[in-house]
Amino acid sequence: MEIQQIPAFVDNYFWLIHNGKDAIIVDPGDATPVQNFLQQRQLNLCAILVTHHHADHIGGIGKLLANASTDFNNGAVPGNSSQTSISRSLPVYGPLFDQKTGRIPTITHGCSQGDSIFIPELNLYFDVIDVPGHTKSHIAFYCAGLNSLFCGDTLFAGGCGRLFEGTPAQMVDSLQKIAILPANTRVYCAHEYTLSNLRFALTVEPNNETLRTRYAQVCAVREKGLPTVPSELGLELQTNPFLRVASPEIIGTLQSHNKLTGPIDELSVFTAVRRWKDHF
Ligand SMILES: [Zn+2]
């Protein structure tokens, strides 16, 4: 099994999981690079996974579905295509809320916390985790078989997603659900934000040796134009400020910058760190 990174737009990553024959795609914001890769490798797309409703994660779904139907028709007479194209549609797994409300109308299988998805073509199971915060209905897909988490815009390498629809409390809960996964879980987030995230992380926790080492490594990798994603959850726990709200150094930095004046608890520290990063 291979997990292929498909770069798109300015800094997005779509993730394509395949076994040399069948493939699934996570968060296809654009159909073209996905189709190019599928064609190049002669892969058959068998399912689409979606973490949340933002356009850069769902923009390619319609075209991928239409093409899957065309492939199935395999040269059918154009006039008959509309009749035959509905005979096969790819399953699209995404947040139940967005299916119910029609916010992502292409979802065929609405998912929420505790659901398990089985992809028979790849013989893979994915556990669905509700991770609201970036959006109110964000989900993540955890695949124990691949030791991998596909978390969209929730946990980033060195950072976390902005809170567009959810509350800080929701994001704290969501990150805690991720933090308890095995430390060797590979984190497949949807953007290359690592360098700027770590710059901020160093501002709030400058004496974290592991973080300093990571920053130097990431600088070298980015200078070569290479990706820094996936990362490993264990490293995130040691270096990502949004997973380190109990760090005395982070709390001290917030206080010395007058960014944390009230009581000290996980939620208030997280909120202060998130607010600072929003204006960093
Ligand atoms: Zn997003």
Side-chain angles (χ1 to χ4, degrees):
M1 202 75 63
E2 230 180 277
I3 304 178
Q4 173 72 35
Q5 181 181 70
I6 300 187
F9 308 124
V10 178
D11 51 34
N12 280 71
Y13 293 134
F14 312 153
W15 299 105
L16 188 138
I17 307 161
H18 72 92
N19 61 0
K21 180 171 171 276
D22 292 300
I24 62 177
I25 183 76
V26 183
D27 284 350
D30 183 9
T32 307
V34 179
Q35 282 170 339
N36 288 345
F37 186 81
L38 291 169
Q39 265 172 16
Q40 245 170 43
R41 299 287 286 268
Q42 296 286 297
L43 297 168
N44 168 54
L45 188 64
C46 61
I48 297 173
L49 272 53
V50 184
T51 61
H52 68 293
H53 73 93
H54 287 158
D56 59 327
H57 296 250
I58 67 169
I61 296 176
K63 207 169 163 192
L64 288 171
L65 291 177
N67 272 41
S69 301
T70 312
D71 291 347
F72 178 73
N73 291 335
N74 199 16
V77 181
N80 293 336
S81 62
S82 62
Q83 208 182 353
T84 49
S85 65
I86 55 167
S87 61
R88 178 192 191 244
S89 60
L90 290 178
V92 180
Y93 298 92
L96 180 62
F97 173 87
D98 295 315
Q99 182 191 34
K100 277 187 175 166
T101 57
R103 194 153 77 156
I104 310 179
T106 44
I107 291 175
T108 58
H109 295 67
C111 307
S112 59
Q113 179 76 33
D115 285 344
S116 183
I117 297 165
F118 180 57
I119 310 291
E121 291 88 345
L122 299 180
N123 194 29
L124 282 181
Y125 287 91
F126 292 85
D127 294 322
V128 176
I129 309 172
D130 277 339
V131 287
H134 177 67
T135 60
K136 66 197 276 188
S137 50
H138 200 302
I139 58 174
F141 301 93
Y142 173 62
C143 182
L146 293 175
N147 227 9
S148 298
L149 176 75
F150 300 89
C151 54
D153 291 352
T154 298
L155 178 66
F156 287 128
C160 81
R162 276 175 189 262
L163 304 178
F164 286 116
E165 297 172 6
T167 64
Q170 283 178 322
M171 189 56 120
V172 167
D173 281 349
S174 297
L175 294 176
Q176 274 169 359
K177 287 185 200 168
I178 291 174
I180 58 169
L181 294 172
N184 63 349
T185 301
R186 283 187 294 273
V187 179
Y188 291 85
C189 64
H191 290 274
E192 180 63 62
Y193 290 159
T194 317
L195 191 58
S196 61
N197 282 342
L198 292 184
R199 247 181 231 132
F200 173 72
L202 271 178
T203 303
V204 296
E205 201 175 18
N207 296 309
N208 179 334
E209 274 306 322
T210 313
L211 173 59
R212 291 157 73 116
T213 306
R214 184 183 188 189
Y215 179 71
Q217 286 167 343
V218 163
C219 284
V221 169
R222 292 307 293 156
E223 265 170 30
K224 291 180 199 154
L226 296 172
T228 63
V229 184
S231 65
E232 208 170 81
L233 182 58
L235 183 59
E236 295 303 328
L237 292 168
Q238 293 175 62
T239 56
N240 187 322
F242 297 98
L243 296 174
R244 297 179 57 72
V245 289
S247 155
E249 190 183 6
I250 291 180
I251 293 168
T253 309
L254 290 169
Q255 288 173 326
S256 66
H257 285 75
N258 283 325
K259 292 183 186 292
L260 184 65
T261 47
I264 298 164
D265 53 53
E266 284 191 353
L267 180 57
S268 57
V269 175
F270 174 86
T271 305
V273 175
R274 186 61 262 175
R275 196 175 294 144
W276 191 355
K277 175 70 167 70
D278 285 344
H279 303 289
F280 186 71

